[in-house]
Amino acid sequence: MGRRADFLAANRGKRAPMPGFVLLVRERADGDPAMRYGITVTKKIGGAVVRNRMKRRFRVLARALLPIHGVAGADHVLIGRADGVERDFTKLRQELEKALQKVRRADSQAGAPPFRHRRDRKAKSPASDRREAGQ
């Protein structure tokens, strides 16, 4: 994946947060069974050397695990977290396997509640209801 629009679209998909990264998975529904992946690591994580090292590790993990555990016809995005910089490679591998299984499990559960929960931003707190009532 190389276009910003693809990364933004993946952000609307399923999310599996782990200590070293966040995995986003969004099915493209274009009929193409190819799995694509993208990696992003922000400057908050560290300098260029640290970010590039982290991206290299994610690239190796993605190439090894996506053909086995990935979702066919979907975009996969790995977002690096600060905890993933010095994390043991075997732990990162286990976490990615777990995250991919979590996403696949969410796909197979038809009728289950949404995978990603968002708070209702228009909901009011009980304290604001009391203020409006004049209490």
Side-chain angles (χ1 to χ4, degrees):
M1 291 175 35
R3 294 184 1 208
R4 183 172 190 268
D6 294 334
F7 283 87
L8 293 175
N11 197 32
R12 293 188 301 268
K14 294 176 185 70
R15 179 178 290 257
M18 292 289 154
F21 58 87
V22 176
L23 174 69
L24 307 174
V25 178
R26 179 175 178 267
E27 292 189 39
R28 290 188 310 273
D30 61 358
D32 184 10
M35 288 182 256
R36 299 189 314 176
Y37 73 92
I39 299 168
T40 182
V41 182
T42 66
K43 288 184 180 181
K44 286 192 263 183
I45 303 301
V49 173
V50 172
R51 292 194 317 268
N52 288 333
R53 179 173 183 241
M54 197 169 196
K55 287 191 278 189
R56 279 194 308 271
R57 297 174 91 198
F58 285 156
R59 214 172 289 127
V60 169
L61 287 172
R63 288 180 184 155
L65 295 177
L66 284 183
I68 301 165
H69 300 291
V71 179
D75 290 340
H76 302 73
V77 176
L78 286 164
I79 302 172
R81 284 185 162 178
D83 291 344
V85 173
E86 294 299 323
R87 199 156 188 84
D88 185 42
F89 189 77
T90 55
K91 278 190 177 182
L92 279 177
R93 184 182 176 97
Q94 292 169 352
E95 289 171 358
L96 182 55
E97 286 177 4
K98 183 178 176 181
L100 288 166
Q101 289 172 359
K102 188 177 179 181
V103 168
R104 291 182 73 103
R105 212 174 315 124
D107 279 344
S108 66
Q109 294 177 350
F115 187 77
R116 189 170 168 186
H117 302 285
R118 291 192 176 187
R119 292 182 182 168
D120 184 12
R121 297 183 189 262
K122 294 181 182 178
K124 295 180 182 177
S125 67
S128 65
D129 289 340
R130 285 192 296 270
R131 280 187 293 235
E132 289 177 5
Q135 296 177 346

